[in-house]
Amino acid sequence: MFLKPKVLSFFIFLLAHASVAQVRVTTELSNNWKFYKGQSTTAHQQDFNDRKWETVTVPHDWAIYGPFDKEIDKQVVAIEQNGEKVATEKTGRTGSLPYIGEGWYRKKFTLPHYKPGQKVLLVFEGAMSEPKVFLNGEKVGEWNYGYNYFYFDISKQVAAGKENTLAVQLSNQGLSSRWYPGAGLYRKVQVIVKNQESIDQWGTYITTPFISDKVAKVNIKTSVSGANTRLVTHILNAAGDTVASDKTQMPFGNKFEQNIAVNKPELWSPETPYLYTAVTQLFVDNTLKDETSTRFGIREINYKAEVGFSLNGKVRKFKGVCLHHDLGPLGAAVNKAALRRQLQILKDLGCDAIRSSHNMPSIEQLELCDEMGFMFLAETFDEWAKPKVRNGYNRFFETDAEKDIVNLVHATRNHPSIVMWSSGNEVPDQHGSEGAKRARWLQEIFHREDPTRPVTVGMDQVKATMQSGFGAVLDIPGLNYRTHLYEEAYKAFPQGLILGSETGSTVSSRGVYKFPVEKGIGKAYDDHQSSSYDLEYCSWSNLPEDDFILQDTKPWVIGQFVWTGFDYLGEPTPYDNFWPSRSSYFGINDLAGLPKDRYYLYRSQWNTADETLHVLPHWNWKGREGQTTPIFVYTNYDKAELFINGKSMGVQSKNDSSLLHHYRLMWMDVKYEPGTVKVVAYDKDGKPAAEKTMVTAGEPYKIILEPDRSQIAADGKDISFVTVSVVDKNGNPCPTATNQLKFSVSGNGSYRAACNGDATSLEQFHLPTMKLFSGKLVVLVQSSETPGAIKLSVQGKNLKGAEIRLKSE
Ligand code: GAL
């Protein structure tokens, strides 16, 4: 019998996996952890009785369940980065959630496949923070930085054929963060059992130093342990077919180096995220000792003075966003469905790049960026030696910075999405010659570990970095805001390129509009919301247009990373000293992941494939009859006509009379009258090309449910995000509704959380009730491990309730 190549490779794949089962077993420790929030001097002991502790699943964030409490992160400080000189009382800066203090996790596990003499590693992808790790009562190690990946060799402590007890102590100090850091084992924990002769942890390093249409050179360096080893590497294409193979028995020290030709390579880019897999097998004589799979992409990056950044030979600019690591109502606990949803929303926006501000990204996020096509700027630190907050990374910088960078690079360097590293964000060390030395030192560590990617720092003290030499040291000078200094920095720095490492920081609350409509810096209102006319920003920041124009007109500006793609917990500027604000206003999307108006402004510039025609504000202004209520349109068309109740308000065209007019269509003199708003966009020939209508809604009547996915995986982790809104009797959305709703989930899933995007709400995410904010909220329904039907029901007083059936498989 002859097997078709595809079928054959499937069998080889099965065989390979059978052998993987023998030579290397990776177990994720996720279920049945025991957790206790508090101090203990005995919880590390093997026979400690933890039966009364809470049972949790890891990834876990102990603080996200609240309650929000003003006292938790109350600080009397001047936030110097924001230009403050006088100390005032700040609340909500780190989300007002109970992350401070000590917490303990314990987990019992057996390793039935483990044979004495094998090597056992315990791998953490982040632990918040200062974890101390004990196995069977013995300390195996500790790691200070809560955001980094680290592992310990536990071969000496692990027990064969018996139960092992893992205990992890975590402690979070106050004044240690400028945002919500989360708390606990918020990223995955794994045990790897392998042979003594094996491929080292993060020991594979793949680069693609030569690429042509015909062939790509794939360079693979593999560090291994053990004597008399030889290596066989197969490269598989995305369909799983082997497209190239190579063997070598010539190690250089403990490293093998292979150069493998891949014919007619498919290149990785955001538009074509093509991935290959390198399967590496380690043999001693004819015995397979280890096997690993490493996904990679074939792609070329280039940064050239005056020319800019190019990917696979094509110059392009980063249309990027900065993201903090929290996932809104899930807190810092990593969840792949939540990350994927974020990226899907950003894809539609036309965004093609992410900056993990201001620390190491989750591995899950990098995997998704590889698969879905996002370029990545992976950052390390918000502080070096000089503090921004008293108990921040400055405590560890001298001792840990090098090993923290090494772990970041080793754990993530094969992700094609990563195109640049960042060694810091707005570090106070920008001032003075010591800082420039530190910048050089850190950059050289990156270069030593990965010579293929450049290093940047997000700089806010631009003038100081011109004087101290700091800016000149960097591979890529990154400017945070300071649009007025781009030109000067470009001339002063030798690199011939400027990156907008952090841009925008416009503030707004979804669906909230303030009058009169005018530009404002640090504006505060009684309801603690910011206006969605997108004209409000901070003393150090700017409007989207200030960045657009630089990107559009300066070839040496290589792109931007907007602060931020999504709202995040903590840093409620401009309401830093107004309780109960507890999350940010900077997002293009709110904390629930719902788009604000600003989403469509960026979309009109960034998403060049799809039409954007968006009208604001909403048209429910009881009491504003006859008052000036401007209408803005965000669109990729240059021209549009506005009609109110059928009467034309005139045609507006994008023009150069001001920056705002260059990118927005604005009818400033419209007087409010209830009824119908219609916008007709015209194409280049002046023909109607698209239209949008909005009507004044009546009283809320009925609940509407819209899931992002109605079928999810029965893995106990997957989540369907259901957008909940209300409509009037005629089906018109009610944009100002604030009804209190109740949620219940039955069947093979559970209610996980809800979020309405209101930065002032103190309702706890995990309780099954919440108020609508600007007519909307999102409910998160999580699958169980049993496949089947899941029902979500949403009810509200005087409203027609709604039910939806989801399926898990
Ligand atoms: C930047 C800083 C960010 C955030 C932002 C708010 O200066 O890097 O972390 O604080 O300001 O505008």
Side-chain angles (χ1 to χ4, degrees):
M1 184 179 83
F2 292 100
L3 292 173
K4 283 189 188 157
K6 272 223 166 119
V7 179
L8 186 64
S9 69
F10 178 65
F11 275 107
I12 293 172
F13 177 79
L14 285 184
L15 283 176
H17 272 252
S19 54
V20 168
Q22 288 158 20
V23 294
R24 168 184 283 256
V25 179
T26 302
T27 313
E28 183 175 343
L29 303 179
S30 63
N31 294 332
N32 291 320
W33 283 81
K34 289 292 191 176
F35 167 71
Y36 168 71
K37 168 91 195 287
Q39 294 184 342
S40 170
T41 49
T42 48
H44 64 287
Q45 292 169 1
Q46 192 167 12
D47 56 1
F48 177 86
N49 183 349
D50 59 20
R51 256 172 306 171
K52 292 214 176 109
W53 287 14
E54 191 186 339
T55 304
V56 300
T57 304
V58 167
H60 176 250
D61 179 347
W62 85 55
I64 192 60
Y65 305 97
F68 294 102
D69 182 349
K70 179 181 181 191
E71 298 304 317
I72 289 176
D73 50 7
K74 194 161 90 180
Q75 306 173 3
V76 180
V77 289
I79 304 180
E80 283 168 27
Q81 309 86 255
N82 296 359
E84 293 180 6
K85 301 265 182 301
V86 181
T88 53
E89 182 180 290
K90 302 286 177 332
T91 48
R93 195 176 181 198
T94 52
S96 295
L97 289 164
Y99 75 96
I100 297 169
E102 193 168 311
W104 280 90
Y105 290 81
R106 285 171 56 89
K107 163 82 188 162
K108 295 202 185 340
F109 64 93
T110 50
L111 299 171
H113 44 277
Y114 164 69
K115 293 183 215 76
Q118 284 189 301
K119 197 178 264 192
V120 188
L121 303 183
L122 182 60
V123 188
F124 292 81
E125 293 181 0
M128 195 60 75
S129 64
E130 300 183 52
K132 294 188 172 49
V133 180
F134 304 85
L135 190 72
N136 300 331
E138 222 182 287
K139 184 164 175 191
V140 294
E142 58 184 82
W143 197 273
N144 292 319
Y145 198 29
Y147 291 102
N148 212 352
Y149 335 97
F150 57 93
Y151 66 94
F152 303 119
D153 187 330
I154 53 168
S155 312
K156 285 209 186 88
Q157 291 85 4
V158 80
K162 280 201 291 203
E163 196 172 64
N164 288 282
T165 306
L166 173 63
V168 185
Q169 178 195 22
L170 296 146
S171 51
N172 294 320
Q173 305 216 11
L175 297 172
S176 58
S177 184
R178 298 191 299 114
W179 56 85
Y180 175 67
L185 295 178
Y186 71 110
R187 288 181 180 170
K188 47 175 194 304
V189 181
Q190 292 172 310
V191 181
I192 299 174
V193 177
K194 55 182 187 169
N195 291 315
Q196 287 298 335
E197 302 92 347
S198 54
I199 296 158
D200 292 345
Q201 179 66 7
W202 306 328
T204 306
Y205 179 31
I206 305 182
T207 57
T208 52
F210 175 84
I211 299 171
S212 73
D213 289 349
K214 280 201 193 122
V215 68
K217 169 171 158 182
V218 178
N219 178 277
I220 309 187
K221 297 187 182 73
T222 312
S223 348
V224 304
S225 300
N228 301 321
T229 53
R230 65 186 175 87
L231 207 66
V232 176
T233 300
H234 299 290
I235 294 187
L236 276 48
N237 65 13
D241 301 325
T242 301
V243 293
S245 297
D246 181 75
K247 38 184 166 213
T248 170
Q249 41 199 25
M250 248 289 262
F252 301 95
N254 74 331
K255 255 197 198 105
F256 286 102
E257 179 159 357
Q258 295 169 291
N259 283 310
I260 306 181
V262 170
N263 292 323
K264 295 212 179 124
E266 302 268 1
L267 302 192
W268 185 94
S269 75
E271 295 72 31
T272 58
Y274 194 94
L275 295 171
Y276 290 89
T277 302
V279 176
T280 311
Q281 298 173 316
L282 186 80
F283 289 89
V284 173
D285 300 325
N286 284 327
T287 312
L288 181 69
K289 289 291 184 179
D290 197 7
E291 179 172 319
T292 57
S293 282
T294 311
R295 258 190 353 184
F296 68 98
I298 298 180
R299 54 115 181 94
E300 185 189 19
I301 54 170
N302 201 354
Y303 296 81
K304 203 165 167 199
E306 317 308 332
V307 175
F309 163 69
S310 57
L311 178 70
N312 302 329
K314 284 194 203 98
V315 174
R316 58 191 292 161
K317 297 192 182 212
F318 299 110
K319 299 188 267 190
V321 297
C322 301
L323 293 180
H324 264 310
H325 69 309
D326 79 65
L327 293 167
L330 297 174
V334 165
N335 180 283
K336 213 159 179 175
L339 288 165
R340 189 181 293 113
R341 171 178 176 251
Q342 283 197 334
L343 292 176
Q344 268 156 355
I345 292 167
L346 294 174
K347 258 284 164 205
D348 177 68
L349 179 69
C351 165
D352 65 9
I354 312 285
R355 169 183 182 227
S356 62
S357 42
H358 301 297
N359 29 56
M360 291 79 183
S362 67
I363 299 294
E364 287 84 348
Q365 192 180 34
L366 291 174
E367 287 167 354
L368 288 166
C369 286
D370 291 346
E371 289 164 20
M372 296 171 71
F374 285 88
M375 295 178 284
F376 211 95
L377 168 50
E379 195 154 84
T380 43
F381 310 121
D382 194 48
E383 280 182 17
W384 294 350
K386 294 187 184 172
K388 284 183 188 171
V389 284
R390 196 195 320 144
N391 299 318
Y393 192 74
N394 66 82
R395 288 186 294 147
F396 310 122
F397 179 77
E398 295 295 349
T399 50
D400 291 10
E402 177 165 4
K403 67 179 192 185
D404 274 323
I405 291 178
V406 168
N407 278 20
L408 165 68
V409 176
H410 287 194
T412 67
R413 60 192 168 182
N414 298 320
H415 291 277
S417 50
I418 300 182
V419 295
M420 200 189 298
W421 305 110
S422 163
S423 66
N425 173 63
E426 299 187 355
V427 290
D429 313 57
Q430 286 164 98
H431 296 273
S433 60
E434 275 305 301
K437 268 193 220 147
R438 286 185 192 119
R440 190 185 295 278
W441 174 58
L442 298 174
Q443 184 164 283
E444 280 169 2
I445 299 169
F446 274 107
H447 288 173
R448 184 188 75 206
E449 301 302 325
D450 173 31
T452 72
R453 297 173 176 97
V455 181
T456 189
V457 170
M459 299 184 289
D460 63 330
Q461 303 301 313
V462 182
K463 292 268 190 193
T465 62
M466 289 176 189
Q467 276 155 24
S468 65
F470 187 108
V473 163
L474 306 175
D475 295 332
I476 308 286
L479 260 60
N480 284 10
Y481 315 102
R482 285 43 188 202
T483 48
H484 60 288
L485 293 176
Y486 270 47
E487 197 86 45
E488 197 179 331
Y490 164 63
K491 288 188 186 129
F493 298 144
Q495 297 87 339
L497 297 173
I498 296 288
L499 169 69
S501 40
E502 200 171 305
T503 61
S505 265
T506 304
V507 286
S508 62
S509 306
R510 177 179 55 78
V512 176
Y513 307 89
K514 302 292 183 188
F515 304 96
V517 174
E518 58 193 14
K519 271 197 197 180
I521 295 178
K523 272 206 160 171
Y525 304 90
D526 289 347
D527 62 356
H528 299 176
Q529 305 293 353
S530 296
S531 178
S532 269
Y533 274 106
D534 298 323
L535 290 171
E536 296 174 3
Y537 51 104
C538 311
S539 58
W540 60 89
S541 68
N542 54 266
L543 297 179
E545 285 79 359
D546 298 311
D547 300 309
F548 286 150
I549 197 74
L550 285 167
Q551 301 296 329
D552 289 352
T553 59
K554 309 285 178 203
W556 40 268
V557 179
I558 64 170
Q560 63 162 323
F561 288 86
V562 178
W563 192 264
T564 46
F566 292 82
D567 276 335
Y568 51 95
L569 291 161
E571 204 176 26
T573 315
Y575 296 103
D576 297 305
N577 33 14
F578 295 88
W579 182 251
S581 295
R582 47 68 173 161
S583 54
S584 81
Y585 297 78
F586 293 116
I588 291 174
N589 297 282
D590 72 13
L591 197 70
L594 295 169
K596 300 181 187 173
D597 292 297
R598 205 145 28 96
Y599 180 89
Y600 300 95
L601 182 55
Y602 283 100
R603 193 180 190 273
S604 69
Q605 290 302 303
W606 283 359
N607 182 338
T608 49
D610 301 308
E611 177 182 281
T612 299
L613 182 59
H614 178 75
V615 191
L616 66 132
H618 62 72
W619 213 237
N620 264 58
W621 294 108
K622 202 162 183 219
R624 284 195 67 77
E625 287 79 4
Q627 293 185 52
T628 303
T629 309
I631 290 185
F632 288 8
V633 167
Y634 299 154
T635 178
N636 56 318
Y637 293 103
D638 286 340
K639 208 198 274 192
E641 185 166 6
L642 173 69
F643 299 88
I644 308 278
N645 291 330
K647 206 162 71 208
S648 174
M649 299 285 124
V651 174
Q652 290 285 344
S653 306
K654 291 184 187 165
N655 62 66
D656 291 333
S657 64
S658 78
L659 250 191
L660 287 186
H661 284 100
H662 197 84
Y663 294 99
R664 311 180 188 200
L665 300 176
M666 299 181 289
W667 287 260
M668 294 305 291
D669 304 324
V670 177
K671 302 272 184 290
Y672 176 67
E673 60 182 71
T676 304
V677 174
K678 186 169 95 174
V679 173
V680 180
Y682 297 115
D683 65 16
K684 296 243 171 317
D685 306 322
K687 296 212 183 74
E691 70 174 60
K692 193 97 195 197
T693 306
M694 178 168 66
V695 300
T696 307
E699 288 303 306
Y701 169 72
K702 191 170 102 181
I703 296 170
I704 303 287
L705 305 180
E706 293 162 283
D708 70 333
R709 288 183 306 146
S710 45
Q711 190 169 319
I712 56 177
D715 59 3
K717 296 177 185 157
D718 206 359
I719 292 177
S720 176
F721 290 80
V722 184
T723 301
V724 181
S725 58
V726 287
V727 294
D728 69 8
K729 273 213 161 102
N730 301 319
N732 299 312
C734 302
T736 57
T738 55
N739 306 62
Q740 186 81 40
L741 303 182
K742 285 198 174 127
F743 321 115
S744 67
V745 174
S746 57
N748 296 317
S750 56
Y751 169 78
R752 179 72 172 82
C755 183
N756 61 12
D758 177 0
T760 70
S761 165
L762 299 181
E763 289 181 292
Q764 285 160 270
F765 302 118
H766 67 291
L767 300 179
T769 176
M770 192 168 278
K771 265 170 113 172
L772 291 167
F773 177 64
S774 295
K776 284 187 182 174
L777 58 76
V778 175
V779 171
L780 286 65
V781 179
Q782 186 155 3
S783 65
S784 70
E785 286 178 12
T786 314
I790 311 170
K791 193 175 85 182
L792 164 69
S793 141
V794 182
Q795 308 296 328
K797 215 169 145 194
N798 300 327
L799 286 173
K800 202 166 161 209
E803 253 177 41
I804 193 168
R805 269 169 207 283
L806 308 167
K807 205 166 123 190
S808 76
E809 278 194 341

